[in-house]
Amino acid sequence: MAEKPASPSCFFFAASLVLLTLSSCLASPTPTPPSPSCLSGTLSNILYRNNNASFPTVLENYIRNARWNTTTTPKPSLIITPLQEADVQAAVLCAKRIGLQIRIRSGGHDYEGLSYVSRSQQPYFVLDMSNLRQITVDIGKQVATNATDLAVQWQQVAPTIDDRFFLRLLLLPSNKTVKASIVAFFLGGADEAVSILKKKFPLLGLEKQNCIEMSWIESAIWLNNPDDYKIGVKPEIILNRRLNTAGFLKRKSDYVQVPISKEALEGIAKKIIELGKVALVFNPYGGKMAEIPADATAFPHRAGNLFKIQYSVNWNDSSPAAAENFVNETRSLYSYMTPFVSKNPRSAFLNYRDLDIGINTFGKNSYEEGKVYGAKYFNGNFERLVKIKTAVDPDNFFRNEQSIPILPNNH
Ligand SMILES: *[C@@H]1O[C@H](CO)[C@@H](O)[C@H](O)[C@H]1NC(C)=O
Ligand SMILES: *[C@@H]1O[C@H](CO)[C@@H](O)[C@H](O)[C@H]1NC(C)=O
Ligand SMILES: *[C@@H]1O[C@H](CO)[C@@H](O)[C@H](O)[C@H]1NC(C)=O
Ligand SMILES: *[C@@H]1O[C@H](CO)[C@@H](O)[C@H](O)[C@H]1NC(C)=O
Ligand SMILES: *[C@@H]1O[C@H](CO)[C@@H](O)[C@H](O)[C@H]1NC(C)=O
Ligand SMILES: CC(=O)N[C@H]1CO[C@H](CO)[C@@H](O)[C@@H]1O
């Protein structure tokens, strides 16, 4: 409902291409003098200037949040759509030479539109990866019950239960009440799932007839939209790129490290009802997530986190007043949640991009500005990322409003 399960892997796929590109940059010994002629060679067939008739289509096809699709939204000067790795390298080197900023667009959520919108006022181009897409490579029950009791028990069960379970909890405003909904996924058969959950999560009241046994690929359809599964939508639907389809949305994130009490959950439920539209999605951690040390990869939110919260609101009204209202409401719920979530820093999930938590203007305080959001997304790994960034991209060519800054006095 609130996220597409396949997206995070696409996101990291994009990041690895960037690294690949970086290393080819470093390998090039002598910088060539500025010359836009680099655009007229092999790139010319995959390059859309902003006066090209196809430019709006190419831009809009992969806009996934309609908030960043207005006449006043900054637009790129060019879009380059690589067909092969060498095109990526040529585009990066050329853009660097002619002083054009880069934005890289691939899969993933990109809630804030950073892959195609730059707030920096500098000219930029979009490296659109949509043609580089070759990949080699249950069960459920919804209940409307006493939401807070269920959430109390869920917090004890979901982060610690058998690794084969993924139990997501949604708190959804629904006609002046809050509906708690559990999305349960088990890598195994229904009998075993029911017997484990009856013991560990009795309030769920799960019975075998609530379960559907299916293949893993079918579960991807079901997790995205149970109704699609019910009407027999086939896995091939995943190949549908759903070009140029987007509603309006806002997302934020939090991490919870201490169980939230029943009283506090009742307050949260009241607040959700009062706001009327913003929902919370609790994604359990623990399991494999907690086994990987916090400093083993850039991603730091490991052992000690019970679950991640996604704040989620979607709307279809294109007026600026509607956006302001829903964004305000999301911020208001986020503010209400302060006592119950991680502190110093208040951690955030990079893939639920949220520009509210800090923005870089790349002036002389770039490092300090970067530390504000960087410490939230990367905790103790931030300083190490700054060192790597400073070593591999000393000119800070690859940057966006929330990229890793370089060390001060680098030049
Ligand atoms: C628009 O750009 C595409 C891709 O480079 C190119 O094939 C096409 O000829 C361009 N159209 C015009 C009218 O220049
Ligand atoms: C909302 O709740 C009220 C009072 O319980 C009920 O009368 C109404 O039918 C409900 N509306 C919807 C859309 O469920
Ligand atoms: C973007 O706006 C244009 C013009 O209003 C519209 O045709 C297009 O469908 C919109 N696309 C998305 C993804 O919002
Ligand atoms: C927006 O409109 C689409 C298409 O009509 C609909 O499926 C979706 O539920 C609507 N979203 C919201 C948040 O109202
Ligand atoms: C949103 O919040 C801002 C700042 O708190 C306030 O000035 C504005 O009136 C609010 N807008 C709406 C639509 O509630
Ligand atoms: C899980 C559950 O249903 N808990 C309680 C919800 O509230 C009713 C009364 O409103 C109780 O009877 C339930 O035990």
Side-chain angles (χ1 to χ4, degrees):
M1 166 250 149
E3 68 177 84
K4 305 281 180 284
S7 301
S9 58
C10 301
F11 174 83
F12 290 113
F13 173 60
S16 65
L17 275 174
V18 175
L19 286 181
L20 192 106
T21 307
L22 272 175
S23 48
S24 71
C25 257
L26 292 172
S28 152
T30 39
T32 319
S35 153
S37 69
C38 61
L39 291 174
S40 55
T42 55
L43 292 179
S44 63
N45 297 326
I46 52 167
L47 176 150
Y48 296 83
R49 298 175 192 277
N50 59 9
N51 60 357
N52 183 304
S54 303
F55 180 90
T57 307
V58 175
L59 179 64
E60 287 162 18
N61 274 349
Y62 290 99
I63 287 179
R64 301 303 195 194
N65 182 349
R67 284 172 66 202
W68 319 124
N69 182 33
T70 70
T71 49
T72 55
T73 307
K75 303 284 188 296
S77 332
L78 297 172
I79 303 172
I80 298 180
T81 58
L83 298 171
Q84 52 194 347
E85 231 172 86
D87 296 337
V88 175
Q89 296 164 341
V92 167
L93 292 172
C94 181
K96 228 184 153 171
R97 227 173 275 162
I98 66 183
L100 202 54
Q101 266 293 295
I102 183 171
R103 289 296 157 122
I104 303 166
R105 184 158 75 172
S106 182
H109 301 299
D110 194 15
Y111 293 149
E112 300 281 23
L114 296 191
S115 62
Y116 50 93
V117 181
S118 169
R119 280 92 172 160
S120 75
Q121 320 260 344
Q122 287 167 22
Y124 66 101
F125 83 107
V126 169
L127 190 67
D128 179 309
M129 304 293 220
S130 58
N131 290 326
L132 294 182
R133 59 171 91 156
Q134 192 188 357
I135 308 171
T136 44
V137 222
D138 315 307
I139 57 163
K141 178 172 191 225
Q142 299 219 330
V143 283
T145 173
N146 183 326
T148 55
D149 282 338
L150 197 76
V152 167
Q153 195 161 77
W154 176 88
Q155 291 180 96
Q156 294 157 2
V157 176
T160 54
I161 198 166
D162 189 312
D163 282 4
R164 292 171 295 169
F165 276 103
F166 175 71
L167 301 173
R168 171 182 284 167
L169 172 72
L170 296 95
L171 295 179
L172 306 155
S174 165
N175 193 20
K176 306 287 171 208
T177 65
V178 168
K179 182 170 136 182
S181 185
I182 306 275
V183 177
F185 172 81
F186 180 63
L187 294 168
D191 286 323
E192 197 184 0
V194 171
S195 101
I196 297 173
L197 287 181
K198 269 193 188 306
K199 212 179 310 158
K200 301 248 160 124
F201 199 177
L203 279 184
L204 188 59
L206 187 73
E207 299 294 344
K208 193 174 176 190
Q209 64 264 26
N210 306 128
C211 303
I212 312 169
E213 290 183 329
M214 61 182 77
S215 68
W216 184 86
I217 189 70
E218 286 168 339
S219 78
I221 308 293
W222 182 84
L223 279 165
N224 184 54
N225 184 352
D227 291 336
D228 278 355
Y229 178 80
K230 269 181 227 147
I231 63 170
V233 166
K234 294 281 173 276
E236 285 72 18
I237 187 94
I238 295 170
L239 298 173
N240 178 351
R241 319 278 304 180
R242 305 198 314 123
L243 299 180
N244 196 0
T245 49
F248 300 82
L249 63 88
K250 175 63 188 172
R251 296 290 190 276
K252 298 178 78 65
S253 63
D254 260 318
Y255 281 91
V256 173
Q257 295 163 342
V258 178
I260 305 176
S261 71
K262 180 169 162 61
E263 294 66 37
L265 284 163
E266 276 162 6
I268 292 165
K270 255 176 84 179
K271 182 76 181 171
I272 291 175
I273 292 166
E274 177 194 310
L275 295 170
K277 189 118 171 97
V278 186
L280 296 182
V281 184
F282 292 3
N283 284 289
Y285 273 40
K288 191 75 188 168
M289 294 295 287
E291 283 169 25
I292 299 166
D295 62 0
T297 72
F299 183 85
H301 311 300
R302 300 291 184 177
N305 290 288
L306 297 172
F307 57 99
K308 174 183 67 191
I309 300 180
Q310 177 166 201
Y311 298 71
S312 170
V313 60
N314 295 324
W315 66 95
N316 282 332
D317 174 349
S318 64
S319 71
E324 186 181 316
N325 176 51
F326 293 126
V327 170
N328 268 15
E329 291 185 353
T330 311
R331 289 175 183 153
S332 165
L333 183 57
Y334 182 81
S335 163
Y336 184 88
M337 293 295 289
T338 308
F340 315 119
V341 299
S342 66
K343 297 169 184 60
N344 307 313
R346 183 172 184 171
S347 293
F349 181 47
L350 179 69
N351 212 25
Y352 297 166
R353 178 79 70 186
D354 178 12
L355 292 181
D356 296 352
I357 68 169
I359 280 184
N360 213 313
T361 56
F362 301 109
K364 62 181 189 328
N365 295 324
S366 167
Y367 170 79
E368 290 303 328
E369 286 173 352
K371 197 170 173 167
V372 173
Y373 54 82
K376 294 172 187 170
Y377 286 138
F378 298 108
N379 294 4
N381 295 333
F382 173 71
E383 299 296 345
R384 287 164 66 207
L385 289 166
V386 170
K387 281 191 193 135
I388 296 167
K389 171 74 178 180
T390 307
V392 301
D393 184 21
D395 297 333
N396 201 13
F397 177 69
F398 294 99
R399 65 176 185 255
N400 64 40
E401 285 71 8
Q402 286 189 335
S403 53
I404 301 291
I406 56 173
L407 280 169
N409 310 317
N410 186 48
H411 291 286

